[in-house]
Amino acid sequence: MSFSDLETFLDNLGESKFRAKQIWRSVYHEGKESFFDMTNISNNLRSSLSEKISIDLLRTKIFLSSKDLSTDKALFELEDGELIETVLMRYKEDGHRNSRKTVCISTQAGCALGCTFCATGQQGFRRNLTFGEIVKQVLYMRKLALSEDMDEIAKNLRSKGEIQGVTNIVFMGMGEPLANYDNTISAIKILNDPLGLNIGARHITVSTVGLVPQILKLSEEKLQINLAVSLHAADNETRSATMPVNKRYPIEDLINVCKKYVYKTGRRIFFEYVLLSEHNDSEEHAYKLGKLLYGIKCHVNLIPVNPTTQGIYNRTKSTTVLNFQEQLKRFNIPSTLRIEKGIDINAGCGQLRSRIEL
Ligand code: SAH
Ligand code: SF4
C-alpha cells in the first residue's frame, strides 16, 4: 500500500489517519514483521489489522555467502512464482571510505533490453516489480545487516552508537529501473524517508541502460540520488553491437540528456563501462571515451565483465585496464575499477536465476 492508501484504509476502519504514520514507521523504519509487535497501537487495532491485511516478506529460494563472507546473494520467489535476485556487499573501512554495507536490488523480473553481455538480458522480460517488492529486498538484507551489527556490539567489536544496518543502495540488480519508473521512484522515496528506511539520497544509486526520456524526467524529480549510466562504448557501432537500446537512443542523444541532467541537478553523473576484451577496451576506445566525456562533470566506473552462462566475452588483461585508465586521465576524467565481489556465488547481474533454470 502507498501511504495514502494506508490512510484511506485506516479511515475506512474508523481509525484516525494519524495511525498511518505509526504503522508506516513500524514497518519500514523499525522493521516490524507482525502487527502484534506494534506496541504503540491498541490491541483492537492490532487484531483487526492482522485479520484484514498482512506484512508479506520475501520467500527465499536460495541463499549463498561468498567464501570470504563479504557478499551474500539471495534468490527470492515472488507470489506468482517469478524469481528475483538481491545481493548484500560488505566493504571494510579502507582509508578513503568508511565501512559500508551496500544492497544491490532488482526492479524487474527479467529485462526487455537484451544487452548481449548480461545474463538478465538473455532471459527476456517477465514483469515489473511493485514498489513493495523492491523495498522488501532491502528490508530483508537490512535485518541481516542489523543483526550482524548487534552481534559485533555483543563481542565488543563495535561501539554502541555504531548500529549502521544498510548504508547504501544500488539499483543494479535485475531489470531496468527507469523502465519501471513509477515503482522505482516510489521505492526510492520510502528508502529515503526518515519514517521509512532513512537511507540518505546520496547513498542511493540508480543505474540505467540509457532511456533518454526517463533520464530527462528523473532530472526534474528533485532527488539528490546518484545516477549511473551504462555507456560501455563511445561510438554507436560498438555500443549497438552489444546494446540494442542504442538504436533507439544513440550516443549523441544520450550524452545530450546527461549534460542536461548534470545542469539541472548540479550532480555529477557516473558512467559505467564494462570492459569486454578486444571489443571496447583498446587505447583507441579509451581516446574516444575521453573525447566524448571531456568537460562533463562525471566519474567513470570501469567494470570487469562477469562471465555469464552464455558468455562470449573475455576479461580485459589488467595491464590493458591500467592503460585504459591512463588514457582517461589525460582527458581529466576520473575513473575507478570496480572492486569485484561474490564472483564465486554468481553475484553478477542475473546470474543466479539463470543457473537455476539451466
Ligand atoms: N538495467 C540497468 C541496471 C541493471 S544492470 C543497467 O543496465 O544499467 C547493472 C549494471 O551491470 C549495468 O551497468 C550493466 O551493464 C552491468 N552488467 C550487466 N551484465 C554484466 C556482466 N556480465 N558483467 C559486468 N557487468 C554487467
Ligand atoms: Fe537489462 Fe541492464 Fe541487463 Fe541491459 S544490462 S539487459 S538493461 S539489466
Side-chain angles (χ1 to χ4, degrees):
M1 273 188 217
S2 68
F3 187 76
S4 62
D5 286 347
L6 182 61
E7 281 186 326
T8 313
F9 177 80
L10 288 162
D11 202 31
N12 291 339
L13 281 183
E15 289 284 338
S16 148
K17 276 188 183 176
F18 175 69
R19 300 270 167 235
K21 251 190 184 173
Q22 289 176 311
I23 296 168
W24 193 261
R25 190 175 197 285
S26 298
V27 173
Y28 292 115
H29 192 81
E30 294 166 3
K32 298 260 164 79
E33 294 180 357
S34 159
F35 294 114
F36 290 105
D37 294 336
M38 297 182 189
T39 45
N40 54 356
I41 55 176
S42 70
N43 274 336
N44 272 353
L45 180 56
R46 285 188 235 174
S47 319
S48 76
L49 286 175
S50 55
E51 277 162 24
K52 296 186 171 68
I53 55 176
S54 60
I55 305 172
D56 291 327
L57 302 170
L58 291 168
R59 213 166 75 79
T60 321
K61 185 124 179 155
I62 295 186
F63 188 90
L64 296 172
S65 300
S66 64
K67 267 201 205 108
D68 66 2
L69 300 180
S70 70
T71 308
D72 293 335
K73 173 146 178 157
L75 181 79
F76 295 115
E77 183 170 6
L78 305 177
E79 269 170 58
D80 59 355
E82 289 301 338
L83 300 171
I84 56 158
E85 303 172 346
T86 309
V87 182
L88 172 67
M89 293 164 284
R90 303 168 183 83
Y91 297 88
K92 293 205 170 83
E93 189 187 336
D94 65 1
H96 299 289
R97 295 181 71 175
N98 292 338
S99 68
R100 59 196 197 279
K101 284 182 186 163
T102 300
V103 182
C104 177
I105 55 178
S106 298
T107 52
Q108 299 182 312
C111 181
L113 289 147
C115 305
T116 56
F117 45 78
C118 171
T120 308
Q122 289 158 18
Q123 292 159 6
F125 178 67
R126 311 283 298 183
R127 71 166 169 87
N128 279 334
L129 302 191
T130 63
F131 70 80
E133 287 165 339
I134 301 173
V135 173
K136 276 189 254 183
Q137 299 170 59
V138 185
L139 287 176
Y140 182 98
M141 292 299 184
R142 184 184 62 172
K143 191 173 167 186
L144 208 72
L146 283 174
S147 133
E148 288 166 7
D149 288 353
M150 315 275 182
D151 289 348
E152 286 178 12
I153 284 173
K155 290 180 197 153
N156 273 331
L157 295 171
R158 226 174 230 277
S159 61
K160 275 209 176 119
E162 275 187 2
I163 293 185
Q164 275 187 313
V166 167
T167 56
N168 297 64
I169 308 284
V170 292
F171 284 72
M172 293 188 185
M174 296 167 75
E176 167 53 38
L178 299 189
N180 185 9
Y181 191 89
D182 292 344
N183 288 320
T184 293
I185 299 292
S186 302
I188 292 171
K189 287 187 174 159
I190 298 176
L191 294 173
N192 182 227
D193 181 1
L195 286 183
L197 283 89
N198 198 23
I199 295 171
R202 285 166 192 254
H203 291 194
I204 300 175
T205 302
V206 170
S207 173
T208 177
V209 73
L211 303 181
V212 168
Q214 284 91 329
I215 294 175
L216 192 62
K217 201 168 165 197
L218 188 67
S219 72
E220 281 156 9
E221 298 281 354
K222 302 216 171 1
L223 296 167
Q224 291 293 308
I225 56 165
N226 302 308
L227 179 66
V229 173
S230 297
L231 192 56
H232 308 331
D235 67 86
N236 284 320
E237 196 186 333
T238 312
R239 193 165 190 263
S240 294
T242 56
M243 302 177 75
V245 72
N246 194 62
K247 296 195 183 98
R248 211 173 356 140
Y249 303 117
I251 289 180
E252 301 74 36
D253 297 359
L254 180 57
I255 293 299
N256 257 334
V257 80
C258 289
K259 286 181 182 162
K260 277 190 197 152
Y261 184 90
V262 172
Y263 175 74
K264 284 208 167 175
T265 62
R267 309 273 297 146
R268 150 177 87 147
I269 215 161
F270 293 85
F271 288 103
E272 291 164 281
Y273 199 99
V274 171
L275 291 160
L276 307 166
S277 179
E278 289 176 31
H279 173 75
N280 66 355
D281 64 346
S282 70
E283 210 168 272
E284 202 193 328
H285 289 120
Y287 288 144
K288 274 192 195 162
L289 186 62
K291 212 170 152 186
L292 184 70
L293 301 185
Y294 182 74
I296 302 179
K297 192 169 156 190
C298 70
H299 189 99
V300 172
N301 285 327
L302 297 169
I303 313 165
V305 66
N306 279 320
T308 64
T309 41
Q310 297 166 47
I312 41 168
Y313 301 102
N314 295 315
R315 295 192 149 217
T316 297
K317 282 198 240 101
S318 52
T319 47
T320 314
V321 178
L322 287 178
N323 189 32
F324 199 95
Q325 271 190 300
E326 276 309 307
Q327 303 315 321
L328 291 181
K329 241 190 226 162
R330 296 171 64 195
F331 290 84
N332 285 331
I333 295 169
S335 67
T336 30
L337 184 66
R338 186 173 290 164
I339 313 168
E340 291 182 89
K341 285 202 170 285
I343 293 299
D344 57 334
I345 52 170
N346 289 333
C349 184
Q351 288 181 289
L352 189 56
R353 177 170 188 254
S354 53
R355 206 174 67 168
I356 284 199
E357 289 187 342
L358 287 172

